[in-house]
Amino acid sequence: MTMRTGMAPSQNAGLVEVTSLGILDELLARTPLRPGVLATPPAGSGLKPVPGDRGLPFVGLGLQTVRYGPAFQIQLMRRHGPVSWWQAFGRRIVAVCGPEAVSAVLSNRDRAFGTGWPAVIGPWFDGGLLATDPPRHLADRRLMQAAYSEDALGGYLRRMAADIGTALDRWPTDRPVKAVPAIRALSGEITTGAFLNEPYDPVGREVMDAVEACIRAETALVRQPVPGTAWRRADRARRWLTGHLGAALPAARARTGDDFLSVLCGLTGTDGSGWDDAQLVEHMIFTLIASHDTTTAATIATLYFLGKHPQWQRRARAESFACGDVPADLAYLDRLRTLDLVVKESIRLVSPSPIAMRVTVKDTDILGHFVPAGQLVCVCTGVNQLLPELWPEPQRFDPERFDEDRAGDRVHRLAWAPFGAGQHKCIGMRFGMLKVKATLDALLRRFTWSFPPSYEARWRFTSLPAPADGLPVVLHRAHARTAGSA
Ligand code: HEM
């Protein structure tokens, strides 16, 4: 494997290339690749085999996958082309990178691809939209749509904005805090109210701990409920959540609230029927899981880049204060254009959910490469966001790429796809952007922060992409009259 060695990486280089920072990287660089083909194409098909790398027995290149994230996938693409495979922890996974290959899978014209998530994340998301295929997926998604109407979003946001303010008013200033656990806890704190109409008390905390236990089990190596493992914790957590949410349903059905669960209970199709209790609970669990980690990752990435680029922090804060002391509702958040650019650029560089997992339901081909039925396929949307073929100087933080004039994201439909594409495209995209913007606006109005030029986050790619050191940051009080200083 080719490595840059012996020096600290330049700005964001670690996102686009495999960098070496120490002995572990040196060792990983010596892993034998053991190239080979995935499967022999049927005789006379005219198809090519998928090239790829086995790596070490069983482990394969699994360690590289979690340590280098998109940089590893870019390297694989450069070695083998847009359709390749690699082995990770006993599994062969086809990697699909670049706009044409990603489009071929996500548009799914030939219906050759089903959701691959249950095979990767286990049973914790069962019954959720992302774990189902048509026809059930289509019917459920149609019914779900009304829970994301502008009216409904306005209600969730009202509750969130109030809770964000209360929580941030307690945050310490002038001493280091770790941004990663702090933002994660903040997301938990504002989720129980808006999604479940529950306070963030010890039970509310247990809800969010259970949600996180399910998320953490995604990448577990031991996939049986063995005592002491992440799998066992997720198993218990899912059972506890199922009981807790089931018990909350009668009250949620009875109220006409502005929380997600009561909205979900009120959804009915054209024939007047809605979901039964078990389905409501499954959709609610998946919604909690899908929203919490992704928005946390997006907020952390944006907070980091705002701290690295004080001129953008000043500009975003000035825009917030220029709007006056107004409630953080939909109309207000939509006016925050600078913040919009900054969030878009931050989640381009660090995509909160940079892959989509699919599985082939029949023998098929991707760009002329033979892929047999039952094959797990990793669609690397996050890689497209970092390719120099699509983005000039891809590692540079440059929010103006998204300006109407430059419209860098329009170079290809799949150049920027942090919310996915195709039939499983994020149904909570607008909600997610609103939650992230509401949190950052509240941070900008209260605090200033910065990271020294010498500090370069080392991103970790085990489930939530986040700086491995927890991102220590010192917050200072911000005032409207000093909006111009960061
Ligand atoms: C910045 C925040 C978010 C990001 C980056 C994000 C990203 C994604 C991505 C990439 C997918 C598609 C995965 C695939 O095709 O395999 C997805 C699906 C989904 N997301 Fe989000 N998401 C975010 C926020 C949210 C929020 C706030 C909610 C709900 C409140 C949500 C609910 C969902 C659901 C239900 C699906 C499955 C849709 C389907 O299968 O039809 N997401 N999200």
Side-chain angles (χ1 to χ4, degrees):
M1 295 174 102
T2 42
M3 294 277 194
R4 293 171 66 249
T5 52
M7 63 177 94
S10 60
Q11 208 183 71
N12 305 316
L15 294 171
V16 293
E17 58 187 276
V18 170
T19 51
S20 180
L21 291 180
I23 187 100
L24 176 61
D25 299 309
E26 304 284 337
L27 287 173
L28 290 178
R30 293 198 195 121
T31 305
L33 293 174
R34 301 201 302 140
V37 299
L38 178 76
T40 310
S45 65
L47 297 175
K48 294 168 279 185
V50 178
D53 299 320
R54 263 184 296 267
L56 293 173
F58 183 74
V59 179
L61 299 168
L63 296 174
Q64 286 84 342
T65 319
V66 288
R67 187 159 172 83
Y68 305 120
F72 167 76
Q73 289 154 346
I74 291 174
Q75 206 179 50
L76 200 65
M77 176 186 174
R78 297 287 178 234
R79 235 179 359 252
H80 296 296
V83 186
S84 62
W85 71 274
W86 88 104
Q87 181 179 223
F89 306 115
R91 271 191 205 161
R92 288 176 162 213
I93 306 167
V94 165
V96 162
C97 302
E100 281 77 28
V102 167
S103 174
V105 178
L106 291 187
S107 59
N108 202 9
R109 285 206 184 87
D110 200 21
R111 308 221 168 141
F113 302 96
T115 177
W117 285 109
V120 179
I121 55 187
W124 324 122
F125 303 3
D126 275 3
L129 282 182
L130 205 46
T132 54
D133 285 315
R136 179 172 167 193
H137 172 262
L138 198 61
D140 279 8
R141 187 162 168 129
R142 279 211 186 108
L143 194 54
M144 181 73 89
Q145 208 71 54
Y148 294 91
S149 67
E150 288 291 286
D151 255 14
L153 292 182
Y156 313 144
L157 197 64
R158 237 185 333 273
R159 301 187 67 135
M160 281 191 170
D163 290 346
I164 292 169
T166 312
L168 287 189
D169 286 342
R170 292 195 309 266
W171 275 29
T173 50
D174 305 320
R175 64 178 170 85
V177 283
K178 290 218 167 178
V180 174
I183 296 286
R184 190 183 291 137
L186 175 66
S187 170
E189 209 165 332
I190 63 179
T191 293
T192 53
F195 284 80
L196 305 176
N197 191 41
E198 288 182 22
Y200 190 64
D201 58 8
V203 179
R205 264 189 279 280
E206 207 169 339
V207 169
M208 294 317 295
D209 286 349
V211 168
E212 286 186 6
C214 292
I215 295 168
R216 300 297 151 243
E218 272 177 35
T219 45
L221 280 182
V222 181
R223 300 176 86 81
Q224 292 295 327
V226 178
T229 58
W231 202 261
R232 164 78 160 240
R233 281 191 290 280
D235 191 37
R236 288 182 150 181
R238 165 107 190 177
R239 271 188 279 132
W240 183 87
L241 265 181
T242 304
H244 179 78
L245 295 176
L249 285 180
R253 283 190 197 279
R255 67 176 176 262
T256 41
D258 55 7
D259 60 287
F260 198 91
L261 185 59
S262 66
V263 172
L264 212 58
C265 288
L267 298 179
T268 49
T270 43
D271 62 354
S273 65
W275 284 311
D276 65 24
D277 283 10
Q279 289 169 314
L280 283 169
V281 167
E282 285 177 338
H283 282 301
M284 195 61 243
I285 291 178
F286 179 67
T287 306
L288 288 168
I289 288 171
S291 65
H292 174 54
D293 230 27
T294 48
T295 50
T296 298
T299 308
I300 290 166
T302 313
L303 179 136
Y304 169 69
F305 289 113
L306 281 172
K308 286 291 285 181
H309 300 275
Q311 71 282 22
W312 279 100
Q313 191 180 136
R314 282 194 292 272
R315 194 170 137 180
R317 181 176 299 108
E319 197 176 75
S320 289
F321 279 131
C323 293
D325 197 8
V326 292
D329 57 13
L330 299 181
Y332 166 69
L333 292 172
D334 284 344
R335 281 170 68 193
L336 301 180
R337 292 288 306 132
T338 300
L339 196 50
D340 211 54
L341 299 179
V342 168
V343 175
K344 282 181 173 163
E345 176 66 341
S346 300
I347 62 175
R348 178 189 70 79
L349 280 162
V350 181
S351 189
S353 187
I355 53 169
M357 297 308 299
R358 300 291 183 265
V359 66
T360 47
V361 293
K362 56 183 178 183
D363 286 0
T364 189
D365 81 278
I366 307 171
L367 301 189
H369 292 274
F370 172 65
V371 185
Q375 175 60 50
L376 201 56
V377 176
C378 175
V379 186
C380 304
T381 48
V383 162
N384 288 4
Q385 300 179 184
L386 298 169
L387 290 178
E389 296 89 317
L390 299 170
W391 303 91
E393 292 186 84
Q395 80 283 8
R396 198 159 75 82
F397 179 76
D398 176 12
E400 268 158 4
R401 294 173 197 277
F402 291 92
D403 252 353
E404 279 302 310
D405 301 349
R406 283 172 60 189
D409 53 329
R410 286 195 220 131
V411 58
H412 190 284
R413 192 176 62 87
L414 289 163
W416 188 81
F419 296 96
Q423 65 193 20
H424 288 288
K425 182 171 181 176
C426 182
I427 194 171
M429 170 167 160
R430 177 142 166 81
F431 189 4
M433 281 299 279
L434 288 167
K435 180 183 166 196
V436 171
K437 284 176 78 177
T439 306
L440 286 155
D441 168 68
L443 280 163
L444 286 163
R445 281 173 174 264
R446 281 169 181 75
F447 310 115
T448 65
W449 65 94
S450 61
F451 300 106
S454 59
Y455 176 77
E456 188 69 25
R458 169 101 207 180
W459 298 89
R460 198 196 47 198
F461 297 97
T462 39
S463 64
L464 165 105
D469 61 1
L471 192 60
V473 64
V474 179
L475 301 170
H476 304 287
R477 268 293 143 229
H479 301 285
R481 63 179 187 288
T482 58
S485 63

